[in-house]
């Protein structure tokens, strides 16, 4: 095919235009970069990190050669905990950048703050909530911290001595990769920071805090309470499932404790904090306290922790109550859902079962209804003097002939009864027995199984498929014997070992097992 003279001219014109467009574009980009370097004004409204630009490498760092520093900075300063309605984030950033302008400074928030933060140049804001028009990396903090260490600072803190950060780095590096994976320095404030021992038992949905003794060169423990600046390896921080959860310290130390990591709290150096208290009015303090409680509850539920035992002896509960549904759904094949998670009965549920058991037994005893601990509840009394740690209800046997003695039981054929204390008494839909529920909302319950004597044998008219639901000689109930159970003294069969082996088989007391081993077996090595 021959190329005409006109085609040659057209092709040359296109190439020239493309070259001109390329060089104009480069010139504009260079001019914009120069303007940024020469731009005036030291303060601006913070904008969120968008896309990957500006986030990888230094997070808004001001360069790598300030005050004699020829190498890239090793630390990113990260501020996570602050309230939108009143904070000192700008002052904190100014304090650090004044002393160490080469350090990247990153403020992290769940949603874009309103009113917008006013931050100095060299500071970046990272919004964790995703935006549909941006890539996922834009909202993931691990893509925006490229230094070896992260310095977690609280709101209102100030950096007065620029070499303090190097001291923390030396302390952490001196641990040589041992169990101490975090180093902390106190903030001089009204409430001193405290070193605590934290034990997290996920199987029992519980975290326990206790005071830790301090040493001459600092305290080594598993959690901190109060204001502190914490240094850790960036890799360690972002190897946590929830690296920047709120509240920061509970989120951080629950996860590090489960990994066997420890924190070293130094006696010095100290960071100052002129902005104390953080909030200028009682109303703002109330708002902050309310948000802290809400954030703590959300965090604990997401971690599967329903009970906190605090170092001062107080308790905090995040599970079900009388006003809420129970923590697990319908039980299938005698195996509640939490067993598949390798957890046992939530402590809030055990507490509700104990309260219901105590209440029901009190009603039965005051009404003259003879009862005894049945099935797995008797097994729990013998093994633990309590409910079996993975059980989900309580079983009591009663004499059928005594039912008319109890006002709460005798009229249930005509419908359920909600008594003055909110407990629900009803005939069970599954069979010919009675059930007492913790409340109308929370269906944790005690089952009452009516037996009658026939020729010296305790029997019933209807039976369930449970293997322990069998006839037994009445002599086990003559007499009934007192035994500790769930914080009270209840009655059980005499010769409970023989009674339980009749129901469940030989060795049932000595060999604990889940109710349906075919579905889920108990790992006895973890007992």
């Amino acid at each position: 095919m021959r190329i005409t003279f006109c085609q040659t001219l057209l092709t040359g014109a296109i190439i020239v235009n493309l070259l001109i467009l390329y060089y104009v574009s480069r010139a504009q980009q260079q001019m914009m970069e120069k303007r940024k370097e020469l731009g005036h004004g030291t303060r601006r409204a913070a904008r969120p990190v968008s896309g990957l630009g500006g986030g990888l490498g230094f997070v808004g760092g001001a360069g790598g050669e300030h005050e004699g520093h020829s190498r890239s900075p090793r630390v990113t300063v990260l501020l996570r905990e602050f309230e939108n309605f009143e904070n000192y984030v700008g002052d904190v950033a100014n304090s650090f950048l004044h002393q160490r302008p080469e350090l990247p400074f990153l403020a992290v928030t769940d949603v874009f703050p309103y009113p917008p933060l006013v931050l100095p140049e060299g500071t970046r804001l990272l919004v964790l909530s995703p935006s549909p028009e941006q890539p996922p990396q834009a909202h993931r903090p691990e893509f925006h911290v490229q230094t070896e260490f992260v310095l977690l600072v609280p709101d209102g803190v100030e950096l007065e001595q620029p070499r303090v950060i190097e001291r923390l780095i030396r302390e952490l590096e001196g641990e040589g990769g041992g169990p101490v994976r975090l180093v902390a320095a106190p903030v001089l404030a009204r409430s001193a920071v405290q070193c605590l021992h934290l034990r997290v038992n996920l199987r029992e949905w519980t975290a326990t805090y206790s005071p830790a003794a301090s040493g001459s060169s600092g305290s080594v423990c598993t959690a901190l309470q109060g204001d502190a600046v914490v240094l850790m390896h960036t890799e360690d921080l972002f190897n946590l499932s929830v690296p920047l959860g709120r509240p920061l310290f509970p989120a951080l130390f629950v996860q590090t404790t489960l990994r066997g990591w420890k924190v070293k709290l130094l006696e010095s150096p100290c960071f100052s904090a002129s902005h104390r208290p953080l909030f200028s009015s009682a109303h703002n303090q109330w708002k902050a306290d309310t948000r802290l409680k809400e954030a703590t509850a959300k965090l604990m539920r997401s971690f599967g922790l329903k009970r906190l035992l605090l170092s001062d002896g107080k308790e905090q509960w995040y599970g079900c109550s009388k006003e809420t549904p129970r923590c697990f759904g319908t039980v299938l094949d005698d195996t509640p859902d939490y067993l598949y998670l390798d957890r046992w009965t939530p402590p809030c549920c055990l507490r509700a079962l104990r309260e219901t058991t105590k209440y029901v037994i009190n009603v039965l005893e005051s009404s003259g209804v003879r009862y005894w601990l049945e099935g797995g509840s008797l097994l729990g009394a013998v093994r633990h003097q309590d409910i079996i740690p993975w059980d989900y209800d309580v079983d009591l046997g009663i004499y059928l002939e005594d039912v008319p003695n109890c006002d709460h039981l005798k009229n249930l054929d005509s419908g359920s009864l909600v008594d003055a204390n909110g407990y629900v008494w009803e005939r069970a839909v599954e069979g010919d027995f009675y059930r007492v529920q913790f409340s109308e909302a929370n269906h944790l319950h005690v089952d009452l199984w009516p037996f009658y004597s026939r020729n010296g044998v305790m029997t019933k008219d209807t039976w369930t498929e449970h293997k322990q639901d069998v006839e037994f000689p009445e002599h086990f109930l003559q007499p009934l014997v007192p035994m500790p159970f769930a914080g009270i003294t209840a009655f059980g069969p005499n010769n409970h070992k023989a009674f339980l082996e009749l129901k469940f088989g030989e060795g049932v007391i000595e060999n604990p097992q889940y109710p349906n081993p075919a579905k889920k077996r108990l790992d006895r090595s973890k007992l």
Side-chain angles (χ1 to χ4, degrees):
M1 181 181 69
R2 294 182 61 187
I3 299 176
T4 67
F5 178 73
C6 290
Q7 289 173 326
T8 303
L9 286 177
L10 180 60
T11 302
I14 291 174
I15 293 173
V16 169
N17 284 331
L18 289 174
L19 289 172
I20 292 172
L21 182 62
Y22 170 74
Y23 283 109
V24 168
S25 176
R26 281 201 62 183
Q28 288 178 337
Q29 184 178 1
Q30 289 172 355
M31 288 176 64
M32 290 178 63
E33 291 176 353
K34 192 150 190 174
R35 283 178 184 173
K36 288 182 179 179
E37 293 174 0
L38 300 177
H40 296 287
T42 58
R43 299 180 68 83
R44 60 180 170 86
R47 293 174 300 185
V49 176
S50 60
L52 295 180
L56 300 179
F58 298 145
V59 187
E65 297 185 10
H66 292 267
E67 298 183 7
H69 293 273
S70 59
R71 295 185 302 169
S72 298
R74 302 180 69 189
V75 180
T76 294
V77 183
L78 193 152
L79 199 163
R80 176 67 173 112
E81 292 277 15
F82 62 92
E83 297 293 348
N84 295 341
F85 53 83
E86 185 175 2
N87 62 72
Y88 300 95
V89 177
D91 292 346
V92 177
N94 274 319
S95 171
F96 277 83
L97 294 178
H98 175 72
Q99 297 287 352
R100 299 294 299 271
E102 83 283 0
L103 296 183
F105 191 104
L106 182 66
V108 180
T109 179
D110 292 314
V111 296
F112 187 81
Y114 181 81
L117 293 177
V118 178
L119 298 176
E121 292 289 343
T123 304
R124 297 303 298 270
L125 175 69
L126 173 63
V127 178
L128 297 178
S129 298
S131 299
E133 77 281 6
Q134 294 181 349
Q137 296 92 331
H139 306 280
R140 291 168 56 182
E142 63 268 27
F143 284 91
H144 302 280
V145 180
Q146 296 297 301
T147 54
E148 183 181 357
F149 300 97
V150 176
L151 190 71
L152 304 171
V153 300
D155 193 12
V157 74
E158 297 174 350
L159 178 63
E160 294 182 338
Q161 302 296 326
R163 312 312 296 179
V164 164
I165 297 175
E166 277 65 31
R167 164 75 189 283
L168 295 178
I169 292 175
R170 289 195 300 271
E171 288 284 350
L172 186 55
E173 290 181 327
E175 295 297 330
V180 173
R181 306 287 279 269
L182 307 92
V183 171
V187 175
L188 296 178
R190 293 182 178 179
S191 57
V193 64
Q194 183 180 9
C195 217
L196 301 174
H197 284 309
L198 172 61
R199 184 176 63 87
V200 181
N201 189 331
L202 291 179
R203 187 177 66 184
E204 298 180 6
W205 313 74
T206 299
T208 303
Y209 293 88
S210 58
S214 61
S216 58
S217 60
S219 304
V220 174
C221 51
T222 51
L224 299 177
Q225 182 179 47
D227 279 341
V229 171
V230 175
L231 180 81
M232 63 187 302
H233 286 278
T234 301
E235 182 181 7
D236 283 345
L237 176 63
F238 293 122
N239 274 333
L240 301 177
S241 300
V242 187
L244 296 176
R246 290 193 70 191
L248 182 60
F249 274 11
L252 182 66
F253 292 121
V254 165
Q255 296 175 91
T256 57
T257 295
L258 288 169
R259 288 158 175 79
W261 300 354
K262 296 183 182 297
V263 55
K264 184 175 184 179
L265 177 62
L266 306 177
E267 296 179 355
S268 65
C270 296
F271 288 78
S272 62
S274 59
H275 299 297
R276 288 294 187 273
L278 275 176
F279 305 104
S280 58
S281 68
H283 177 69
N284 278 358
Q285 183 65 60
W286 170 82
K287 285 175 64 177
D289 291 342
T290 301
R291 292 190 180 191
L292 176 62
K293 291 179 181 178
E294 292 172 350
T296 302
K298 182 179 179 180
L299 176 75
M300 293 305 155
R301 292 188 180 108
S302 70
F303 281 174
L305 293 173
K306 298 179 181 294
R307 183 190 186 199
L308 298 188
L309 299 174
L310 305 181
S311 58
D312 59 3
K314 296 180 180 178
E315 291 180 303
Q316 291 179 352
W317 293 85
Y318 300 102
C320 61
S321 68
K322 212 172 181 72
E323 291 74 34
T324 67
R326 70 185 186 186
C327 294
F328 56 94
T330 301
V331 177
L332 301 176
D333 299 319
D334 299 324
T335 308
D337 57 10
Y338 49 79
L339 291 185
Y340 293 106
L341 302 174
D342 289 322
R343 297 195 177 200
W344 289 352
T345 312
C348 48
C349 298
L350 291 173
R351 179 179 64 168
L353 284 173
R354 293 185 188 107
E355 291 180 15
T356 306
T357 301
K358 180 179 179 179
Y359 182 78
V360 170
I361 285 178
N362 182 61
V363 170
L364 296 179
E365 289 181 348
S366 62
S367 302
V369 176
R370 291 166 289 176
Y371 73 90
W372 60 95
L373 294 169
E374 258 289 350
S377 299
L378 177 62
L379 196 54
V382 174
R383 285 198 198 129
H384 314 282
Q385 294 77 55
D386 201 351
I387 300 167
I388 292 176
W390 52 84
D391 209 352
Y392 50 87
D393 64 6
V394 169
D395 293 313
L396 300 177
I398 61 173
Y399 272 89
L400 178 62
E401 63 192 82
D402 293 344
V403 168
N405 298 340
C406 179
D407 292 338
H408 292 73
L409 293 175
K410 65 183 180 181
N411 296 318
L412 293 184
D413 288 339
S414 58
S416 61
L417 166 71
V418 181
D419 68 20
N421 294 290
Y423 293 90
V424 181
W425 299 68
E426 62 183 6
R427 272 196 175 274
V429 297
E430 300 95 325
D432 188 18
F433 62 99
Y434 302 100
R435 174 165 290 163
V436 186
Q437 296 181 12
F438 186 44
S439 71
E440 291 183 275
N442 192 323
H443 294 174
L444 289 159
H445 56 265
V446 172
D447 286 335
L448 305 176
W449 302 90
F451 286 82
Y452 60 91
S453 177
R454 183 174 60 192
N455 300 323
V457 175
M458 299 301 293
T459 188
K460 300 189 301 172
D461 292 330
T462 59
W463 301 91
T464 69
E465 296 180 356
H466 296 291
K467 62 182 180 180
Q468 70 268 25
D469 193 21
V470 296
E471 295 179 332
F472 59 91
E474 188 179 12
H475 67 72
F476 283 111
L477 309 180
Q478 296 176 339
L480 293 166
V481 297
M483 56 195 314
F485 179 70
I488 61 173
T489 298
F491 284 100
N494 60 71
N495 196 354
H496 52 257
K497 179 178 175 64
F499 184 87
L500 286 170
E501 292 191 342
L502 171 67
K503 295 263 184 174
F504 293 100
E506 186 176 355
V508 64
I509 297 175
E510 300 81 9
N511 300 292
Q513 189 50 261
Y514 288 153
N516 189 345
K519 294 294 180 179
K520 179 67 176 178
R521 293 190 63 84
L522 171 65
D523 184 355
R524 297 179 189 173
S525 66
K526 296 181 180 180
L527 290 176

